[in-house]
Structure formats: structure tokens, C-alpha cells
Amino acid sequence: MPVPWEALIPFGLLTTMFAITGTGFSAARRITNGGKPPRYKLDEWEEMMMARDERLTGKFRGQTIAPDAPPEFETNSVWQTEKINY
């Protein structure tokens, strides 16, 4: 049975396009994660620590070794405040 060589061109194009798209998507996820691989199966504690680290550093996946928090951390709270009238 003869091989349809004409079918290899579209097959090669489709394979190349899927590879380019997959590589681009992977690169975009790494860029948004600060060059680190994505995190999976996060529990509540890890999400809370990620939110704290983001408030400390200003980056989504940033961490710091500084012993003291920056001054902005005092007013950059997770808790929403509302004005209470006495």
C-alpha cells in the first residue's frame, strides 16, 4: 500500500503549531510565576503564605530573607476595614 506523501506536509504543520503553542503557553506560565514552575495541590496554609509573601515583596512568587517587613506592610493588610461609628 503506497504512502500518501502529500499528507506529511499538513501533519508536519499541525505538529509544529501544537509544539509552538505548548511551548509558548509553558513559557507564559513560567514568566507569570517569576521563572518558577507552577504550584499544584495547594492547601489553605500555602495560599495564606503565598498571599503574605506577595504583600511583603510585591511579586506573586516572591520571597524575602529580610528579618524586618517593609513599612508598607503595616497598611497593606488582607483584612478589609470599615469605618465604625461610635
Side-chain angles (χ1 to χ4, degrees):
M1 181 162 201
V3 176
W5 298 106
E6 298 87 16
L8 292 180
I9 293 173
F11 178 74
L13 287 172
L14 281 172
T15 304
T16 303
M17 290 300 133
F18 275 113
I20 290 171
T21 305
T23 304
F25 183 71
S26 176
R29 286 192 73 172
R30 273 203 184 252
I31 289 170
T32 58
N33 279 322
K36 300 174 185 173
R39 295 178 175 171
Y40 298 104
K41 297 182 181 179
L42 300 174
D43 60 2
E44 189 175 340
W45 175 260
E46 291 168 337
E47 289 176 357
M48 185 173 57
M49 290 293 106
M50 286 171 57
R52 180 197 64 124
D53 290 342
E54 184 176 8
R55 288 187 294 125
L56 276 172
T57 62
K59 298 177 185 172
F60 179 66
R61 291 283 300 263
Q63 294 179 345
T64 182
I65 60 170
D68 298 324
E72 303 89 31
F73 191 70
E74 292 179 7
T75 58
N76 187 8
S77 177
V78 174
W79 300 101
Q80 298 296 324
T81 59
E82 60 185 56
K83 192 172 186 177
I84 299 173
N85 295 326
Y86 288 102

